[in-house]
Amino acid sequence: MGLLARLPLYPLLLAAYAVLFVYAANISEVLLSELWRPLAVALVVAAVVLAACALLYRDLRRGALLAGAIVLAFAFFGHVGSQLEDALAGETVQLLAWAVLMVAVGIYAWRAQGSLPGVTTALNLFGLVLVAVTLVTIVPAESGRAVHASEGEPVAATGAIEATRRPERDIYFLVFDRYGSDWSLKERFGIDNDLYPDLEAAGFQVIPGARANYHASDFSLAAMLNMRYQDDLAAALDGPSTDRTPVRERLARHEVGQFLRSQGYRYYHLGAWWDPTASSPIADEVLALGKTAEFDTVLRETTMLPALERLAGVAPEDTHSRTQHRDQALFAIRQVEHLADVPGRKFVFAHILMPHTPYVLAKDGRFVLEAEAKQKSEAELYAQQLEFTNQKINEIVAKLLAGPDEEDPIIIITADEGPYLCYEVDCVDGSPETYGIRLGTLRAYYLPGLSYQVPADDSGVNIFRMILREYFGADLPDLPNRSYSWPDPKNDLYTFQDVTDVLPLPGGSAPPDG
């Protein structure tokens, strides 16, 4: 009798496949380092279930049949549920169907005799094939990443930055995701935003016609924090690619953070639940609410666990992703205010997913349950989350400027992109209006002790060129303020299309016709 007939490995293989399948489906969004912990957890849990079932039957192969059914039901419950039209009714029916399957498999395992070796062999082979299918996707992709990594980091376009002076001021770089310009918000949602007068009264330069360099967070943030456009990434890739990890690696080790650390700043990193900013390998201190990565959250939602929590009445007040979104944003805001009291020169980068979806906060900070959100239009939901965001921005500004004027920090309040039009990066239709909405962004500067007028067409790529030039004496002239889209985003993210000339005019007026 062969090894595959004697040793039932398929419960472990099914558990591994459940994790590898989700990773392979999201491979352009996540890194290999994020795979190992959930994979190890899945294998350990599957091994425990297998051991328990083997003890129940006093036979490893019989126990493996029930263990395999349990692993299959638990790991793929969410995948099946996502295909059901009526999620609530479908969830109940699916739970019953899986229960019937496990009972049937349990009875078969108890009574099976001569068929056990053949069934064990077949299921082992089935599990091996499933794992192999995922590896067909994962191995070439990871090998390609390793090759590009071995070629080294691209030489920074700015070269070695040399400072001739060093300001004794903290620097706060606060990114509020999908916070559009005045024109963008008016055009998309009919909102008349009231934040700009508040910031101007506090001494900020507000840029009504500010725009992003790209209408995607990873590209936009990489441009801001590396002070350059991302054109050179195409040359390092073998043809068209939708793999976002090269630009995200550049974001993770951004030039601004490394320069400021070399100047004696302590870098505090406040990321979001979104993986590319959730942590930082170059920060002195990463402040994070919990340790759950986005990949873990996606993986969790594919399992039976959320349904079992709802069935037991111990589920959170709303979906995990919505409560996590609220908690992470509020945590980041609290930490920014707390850091104002921390001594020593510091650089604070905070990526705050507000007024970014999901819309979970009313204007008074009350949590908006998903059932309530479904009864309102997106314009209403955005407006109330925006109003709460504005309150928090004003509170942060008041806290940061509460000390003596000579100790006021440098503050940049910006967005990385404007409001979404749909839930894909390529939803812009090429019209001036849609480009204006997606690329028009909030931008305001508090520049203490500096007599400098920020250009009306300011774009993200020049934020830190100006800061490092005017405060540190670095030789960093402004780059042309340009904004880019993708002609073919589903197949190639590294060939860019300059759309600057169709954006709203500096000052926030409507884009030109045609």
Side-chain angles (χ1 to χ4, degrees):
M1 188 184 300
L3 182 63
L4 290 179
R6 296 194 310 271
L7 186 60
L9 297 174
Y10 58 87
L12 303 180
L13 293 170
L14 288 173
Y17 172 71
V19 178
L20 293 171
F21 174 81
V22 175
Y23 182 79
N26 296 276
I27 196 164
S28 65
E29 304 285 334
V30 294
L31 299 173
L32 188 62
S33 59
E34 300 171 61
L35 172 65
W36 304 124
R37 191 185 65 82
L39 181 60
V41 169
L43 290 172
V44 168
V45 171
V48 170
V49 172
L50 175 59
C53 291
L55 287 173
L56 176 66
Y57 284 94
R58 297 185 179 180
D59 184 280
L60 183 59
R61 287 183 300 185
R62 294 179 192 275
L65 287 168
L66 181 57
I70 292 172
V71 169
L72 189 68
F74 186 85
F76 291 92
F77 187 91
H79 293 292
V80 175
S82 66
Q83 304 303 313
L84 301 177
E85 293 184 5
D86 187 335
L88 184 59
E91 184 172 277
T92 303
V93 170
Q94 195 189 167
L95 282 169
L96 290 173
W98 284 115
V100 169
L101 175 66
M102 285 187 280
V103 169
V105 170
I107 293 173
Y108 169 75
W110 191 265
R111 295 182 175 180
Q113 297 295 332
S115 62
L116 271 177
V119 170
T120 301
T121 300
L123 290 175
N124 276 337
L125 289 172
F126 178 65
L128 288 169
V129 168
L130 289 178
V131 170
V133 166
T134 63
L135 295 179
V136 166
T137 299
I138 294 171
V139 171
E142 295 300 342
S143 298
R145 289 177 182 174
V147 169
H148 294 315
S150 67
E151 294 172 352
E153 287 290 310
V155 176
T158 53
I161 302 173
E162 295 184 6
T164 59
R165 54 184 181 270
R166 194 170 68 174
E168 295 298 323
R169 295 186 187 274
D170 295 344
I171 301 174
Y172 288 81
F173 183 53
L174 311 179
V175 180
F176 291 86
D177 207 304
R178 295 189 197 166
Y179 196 129
S181 64
D182 270 4
W183 185 92
S184 177
L185 297 184
K186 183 70 172 180
E187 184 74 10
R188 176 71 176 93
F189 296 119
I191 294 173
D192 291 313
N193 192 16
D194 60 1
L195 178 66
Y196 286 6
D198 293 337
L199 292 178
E200 288 173 340
F204 280 75
Q205 284 190 50
V206 177
I207 316 301
R211 66 280 304 271
N213 299 117
Y214 305 92
H215 56 84
S217 294
D218 39 13
F219 284 83
S220 182
L221 288 170
M224 295 184 202
L225 288 165
N226 289 284
M227 303 174 289
R228 54 186 162 130
Y229 295 105
Q230 305 305 301
D231 313 62
D232 61 310
L233 287 176
L237 298 167
D238 300 324
S241 175
T242 58
D243 185 356
R244 306 180 87 98
T245 53
V247 75
R248 291 180 177 183
E249 287 285 359
R250 179 171 287 180
L251 171 59
R253 300 179 181 278
H254 56 83
E255 193 167 349
V256 167
Q258 295 188 63
F259 169 78
L260 291 175
R261 289 187 67 203
S262 75
Q263 298 300 303
Y265 279 77
R266 185 167 181 81
Y267 172 13
Y268 292 90
H269 183 95
L270 282 159
W273 49 257
W274 184 58
D275 280 346
T277 62
S279 188
S280 170
I282 65 170
D284 294 291
E285 191 165 347
V286 176
L287 305 175
L289 178 65
K291 300 299 180 183
T292 302
E294 188 180 12
F295 176 64
D296 293 335
T297 301
V298 172
L299 186 62
R300 185 182 189 278
E301 293 300 314
T302 67
T303 72
M304 190 185 287
L305 188 58
L308 293 176
E309 289 176 338
R310 288 188 285 272
L311 184 66
V314 296
E317 56 188 320
D318 208 358
T319 60
H320 177 71
S321 61
R322 289 174 62 83
T323 54
Q324 181 190 29
H325 185 84
R326 173 201 61 185
D327 295 345
Q328 189 77 40
L330 296 179
F331 171 83
I333 290 169
R334 289 194 302 270
Q335 292 303 311
V336 171
E337 294 178 340
H338 293 162
L339 285 170
D341 298 322
V342 173
R345 285 190 311 152
K346 51 191 171 289
F347 167 58
V348 179
F349 168 48
H351 182 206
I352 301 172
L353 296 185
M354 289 172 61
H356 186 291
T357 54
Y359 303 115
V360 295
L361 290 161
K363 63 182 181 181
D364 60 357
R366 177 180 57 84
F367 186 61
V368 177
L369 293 171
E370 188 170 16
E372 178 186 346
K374 289 179 179 179
Q375 305 303 314
K376 296 182 177 181
S377 69
E378 185 175 7
E380 291 178 280
L381 294 167
Y382 188 98
Q384 65 182 19
Q385 190 148 291
L386 178 72
E387 186 170 347
F388 180 73
T389 303
N390 287 350
Q391 294 173 22
K392 291 302 176 183
I393 290 175
N394 283 326
E395 290 174 10
I396 288 172
V397 167
K399 176 66 175 179
L400 297 183
L401 300 182
D405 291 348
E406 62 272 16
E407 296 179 6
D408 282 349
I410 301 163
I411 308 171
I412 305 103
I413 297 176
T414 187
D416 53 339
E417 58 182 354
Y420 256 26
L421 295 160
C422 66
Y423 291 95
E424 292 192 22
V425 72
D426 59 333
C427 59
V428 291
D429 59 12
S431 69
E433 290 75 18
T434 58
Y435 280 132
I437 289 168
R438 289 292 288 119
L439 290 159
T441 61
L442 167 71
R443 184 83 42 71
Y445 295 87
Y446 188 80
L447 306 173
L450 188 65
S451 177
Y452 178 84
Q453 184 63 46
V454 179
D457 65 343
D458 180 59
S459 73
V461 74
N462 286 318
I463 290 174
F464 281 100
R465 283 180 167 268
M466 181 271 290
I467 297 295
L468 270 55
R469 180 179 67 246
E470 301 298 327
Y471 282 100
F472 291 83
D475 183 16
L476 291 171
D478 282 352
L479 298 177
N481 284 306
R482 312 304 293 174
S483 295
Y484 295 93
S485 186
W486 294 268
D488 186 17
K490 290 186 177 179
N491 298 298
D492 186 8
L493 285 174
Y494 295 92
T495 297
F496 304 111
Q497 175 187 6
D498 191 332
V499 297
T500 310
D501 294 338
V502 302
L503 296 179
L505 300 173
S509 60
D513 294 332

